[in-house]
């Protein structure tokens, strides 16, 4: 039997973090931003477990209007999501 420890439940409201592309001339620059608005969080529609042949298995969530999202890009409140965006932008994480 598989035991899964999930941070979020179905129907819970979360704030989503994602990358946004800014075009400066011919160069593309990516920046981490909070995709959900402060007053309108998104809902978790379903939780599913992905088994990968090569690498670690992962738990993903299906969010309304955004599809599959990994657990490290979702936050329960807007302030913590904004802080994570600022931290990732300073570090240059995933850009």
């Amino acid at each position: 039997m598989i035991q899964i420890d999930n941070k979020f439940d179905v129907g819970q409201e979360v704030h989503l973090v994602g990358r946004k592309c800014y075009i400066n001339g011919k160069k593309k620059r990516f920046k981490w931003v909070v995709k959900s608005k402060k007053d309108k969080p998104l809902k978790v529609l379903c939780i599913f477990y992905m088994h990968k042949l090569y690498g670690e298995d992962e738990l993903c969530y299906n969010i309304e209007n955004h599809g599959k999202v990994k657990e490290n890009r979702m936050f329960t409140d807007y302030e913590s999501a904004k802080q994570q965006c600022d931290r990732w932008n300073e570090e240059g994480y995933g850009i």
Side-chain angles (χ1 to χ4, degrees):
M1 176 178 270
I2 298 175
Q3 289 285 351
I4 297 175
D5 296 328
N6 54 329
K7 287 186 191 176
F8 307 103
D9 294 323
V10 174
Q12 184 176 358
E13 293 182 339
V14 295
H15 292 277
L16 182 63
V17 171
R19 291 189 308 171
K20 187 170 183 179
C21 180
Y22 294 98
I23 298 174
N24 186 6
K26 291 185 178 181
K27 290 187 176 182
K28 291 183 180 180
R29 303 220 182 252
F30 291 94
K31 185 176 179 182
W32 289 99
V33 295
V34 180
K35 295 257 183 174
S36 55
K37 296 180 182 174
K38 189 172 185 176
D39 58 339
K40 294 185 179 181
L42 304 169
K43 287 188 180 182
V44 177
L45 299 178
C46 74
I47 303 170
F48 58 95
Y49 181 74
M50 289 181 54
H51 175 71
K52 293 186 174 182
L53 293 176
Y54 305 105
E56 295 184 18
D57 301 336
E58 61 184 17
L59 190 65
C60 287
Y61 298 86
N62 198 350
I63 306 294
E64 63 181 348
N65 299 330
H66 289 283
K68 299 176 187 174
V69 178
K70 292 182 182 178
E71 195 172 44
N72 65 346
R73 301 214 177 145
M74 296 175 10
F75 297 91
T76 54
D77 55 39
Y78 182 82
E79 289 76 22
S80 61
K82 184 70 175 156
Q83 288 174 357
Q84 187 66 31
C85 285
D86 294 339
R87 191 175 311 130
W88 282 350
N89 286 329
E90 288 176 7
E91 294 173 2
Y93 173 77
I95 295 176

